Amino acid sequence: MKWIASAAFGMEGLTGRDLKRLGAEDVRVLNVGGAEFSGTLESAMKANLWLRCADHISLVVGEFPARSFEELFEGIRRIEWADYLARDSAFPVRARCVKSVLMSQTDTQKIVKKAVVEKLKGAYGVSWFEETGATVQIDVSIRGDVATVSLDASGEPLSRRGYRTWNGEAPLRETLAAALILTSGWHPWQPLYDPCCGTGTLLIEAAFIALNRAPGLRRPFAMEKWPFADVSALERVRREAQSRSDEGQQREIRIAGSDIDPEAIELARRHIRQAGLGGRIEVEVMDMRDVVLKGEPGAIVANPPYGERIGDRRVAHVVARQLGELSRRCPGWNVYAFSADMGFEREFGRRADRRRRFYNGRIECEYHMFENGTPAQNGGAHTRGGRK
């Protein structure tokens, strides 16, 4: 089967790399939108459970030219929908049209729905479908006059891990937080500290990586209710992921953070508990100017406030300066800061050694990486460091 793991701009390569690690076949990173791969239903279940930076997993059931609504209708009707939909399945349709002759998403949805119904009438010998059963979401993307028809295997976006039910100001999406951790030079055996941790998303995603925890372990996926899915096989994949997580839970991790906002820290503590990481991540209320990191050097990873997000560039500049001062107080520690502030490096007091562009929602941001040496030089044994 052909699958698509959709991902936001800048995360396509990370998604492709993780698919290869999972054993997916024919992995092809797309210029925009994620990566394609081949595999079984079990392969897609692994992708749902383990991909840290992808948004959705979809099963491709058809691809064909669609330069007119007649061509779209016939292309949809050629698909053997009874292979995917039961007699009582609910099958809502979503459509997206980009740079094509057909640009009306509403009309596209109506045509696709009608064509699916016509095909199912012949398969099941009925003229009306109640759609009272499990939902199988049909997605149609028309780009450059080519229609790609797929089934959403994830349901809720993969960024919704299930641990974050309370949000503070300007929360960082979980998939983006994981991408920042994976792109940094931090290794799981090193200490990691976030001095403006907010509600804790960066810290939790780092802990999932360190503990080999599948980020989707505590949530359901749409494909588990597909009428053609082998539920017992999918459950075995989930149990295997749980077993790997249980093994990883025995590892020592040194992940901590602080924030000047007491309400944010209270939310961070709740999220840490909900993620099953109670007692594994330390967070406390503290002004960044009072943070001193001692012991073995590691990584300072931060998503500081930036003007476009909080409407105050002066505050963003102050926080950038404080991060620079923190870096100078903590020799040997690498700093990884994500910001849309164009003056970040000037305020920090140093040019970044590496940069990477990501988007936080619609805001274009730069990931600034200030490294004092290669990541390997900063690694070491697991000895617990202290902090003030």
Side-chain angles (χ1 to χ4, degrees):
M1 296 179 176
K2 180 179 178 180
W3 305 84
I4 294 176
S6 61
F9 176 84
M11 295 189 246
E12 299 92 345
L14 291 169
T15 298
R17 184 189 69 183
D18 284 349
L19 282 169
K20 292 176 182 178
R21 287 180 176 175
L22 291 174
E25 300 177 355
D26 305 320
V27 176
R28 184 171 74 91
V29 175
L30 305 175
N31 291 330
V32 178
E36 296 177 348
F37 66 101
S38 298
T40 62
L41 287 169
E42 291 91 330
S43 302
M45 185 65 178
K46 285 183 181 179
N48 269 322
L49 284 164
W50 285 101
L51 290 185
R52 301 186 186 277
C53 304
D55 294 324
H56 280 93
I57 306 301
S58 301
L59 170 62
V60 178
V61 296
E63 290 180 286
F64 51 85
R67 293 174 291 268
S68 68
F69 285 123
E70 291 77 15
E71 202 169 25
L72 175 65
F73 183 90
E74 292 303 322
I76 294 294
R77 197 164 62 170
R78 283 195 296 271
I79 298 171
E80 297 298 331
W81 287 104
D83 292 345
Y84 308 108
L85 302 175
R87 184 169 176 168
D88 65 343
S89 293
F91 48 99
V93 177
R94 289 186 300 223
R96 185 167 183 262
C97 305
V98 180
K99 297 179 180 179
S100 300
V101 174
L102 304 181
M103 288 299 291
S104 171
Q105 296 182 172
T106 301
D107 289 341
T108 297
Q109 288 173 304
K110 291 177 181 178
I111 293 295
V112 171
K113 187 80 173 185
K114 182 179 179 181
V116 174
V117 169
E118 288 300 312
K119 185 70 173 186
L120 290 178
K121 282 181 181 179
Y124 291 116
V126 296
S127 59
W128 182 259
F129 296 91
E130 296 290 343
E131 297 191 50
T132 56
T135 298
V136 181
Q137 177 68 57
I138 300 174
D139 289 327
V140 180
S141 172
I142 304 178
R143 180 183 291 271
D145 299 327
V146 175
T148 300
V149 186
S150 61
L151 308 181
D152 182 355
S154 300
E156 291 286 331
L158 296 180
S159 60
R160 298 180 185 174
R161 320 287 207 211
Y163 64 78
R164 196 171 75 181
T165 54
W166 300 276
N167 287 326
E169 184 181 359
L172 190 67
R173 196 169 68 252
E174 292 91 327
T175 45
L176 177 55
L180 297 180
I181 297 297
L182 292 170
T183 305
S184 76
W186 175 72
H187 290 289
W189 61 80
Q190 295 177 297
L192 181 144
Y193 192 88
D194 183 352
C196 39
C197 67
T199 58
T201 308
L202 274 169
L203 300 176
I204 292 170
E205 293 298 323
F208 283 174
I209 293 168
L211 298 173
N212 200 26
R213 158 84 172 269
L217 193 59
R218 295 194 172 194
R219 54 155 289 176
F221 302 105
M223 66 180 300
E224 293 175 279
K225 293 186 178 181
W226 282 354
F228 60 97
D230 183 343
V231 177
S232 60
L234 300 187
E235 182 57 33
R236 283 196 298 272
V237 175
R238 187 180 284 278
R239 286 198 301 270
E240 179 187 352
Q242 181 64 62
S243 175
R244 292 173 64 180
S245 177
D246 291 343
E247 292 173 4
Q249 196 69 20
Q250 308 306 314
R251 300 173 185 169
E252 179 191 13
I253 60 173
R254 291 170 291 163
I255 297 173
S258 58
D259 199 285
I260 197 171
D261 183 356
E263 293 184 4
I265 289 298
E266 179 56 33
L267 289 178
R269 287 174 177 149
R270 293 185 189 183
H271 292 161
I272 289 167
R273 288 195 297 270
Q274 285 208 163
L277 297 168
R280 306 304 302 273
I281 299 173
E282 300 177 33
V283 292
E284 61 183 311
V285 179
M286 185 180 294
D287 190 308
M288 194 189 307
R289 291 169 294 187
D290 297 328
V291 175
V292 178
L293 302 173
K294 301 176 182 178
E296 177 197 348
I300 297 169
V301 184
N303 172 39
Y306 37 88
E308 289 83 349
R309 185 177 60 175
I310 63 174
D312 190 343
R313 291 179 182 271
R314 287 177 298 177
V315 173
H317 291 339
V318 168
V319 176
R321 285 196 295 272
Q322 290 178 1
L323 271 172
E325 293 165 1
L326 174 60
S327 177
R328 290 184 283 276
R329 287 197 305 273
C330 305
W333 286 72
N334 293 335
V335 177
Y336 304 94
F338 183 65
S339 178
D341 180 8
M342 297 299 291
F344 183 88
E345 289 177 316
R346 181 184 65 250
E347 301 298 331
F348 186 89
R350 175 184 161 189
R351 289 184 63 83
D353 298 289
R354 293 189 290 141
R355 298 179 193 83
R356 183 79 176 267
R357 186 172 52 149
F358 292 104
Y359 279 82
N360 188 4
R362 295 185 177 182
I363 302 174
E364 183 177 344
C365 300
E366 201 81 41
Y367 193 29
H368 305 275
M369 292 171 265
F370 305 91
E371 297 176 324
N372 298 299
T374 63
Q377 289 173 331
N378 291 326
H382 272 194
T383 57
R384 182 167 297 279
R387 76 184 191 286
K388 180 180 178 181

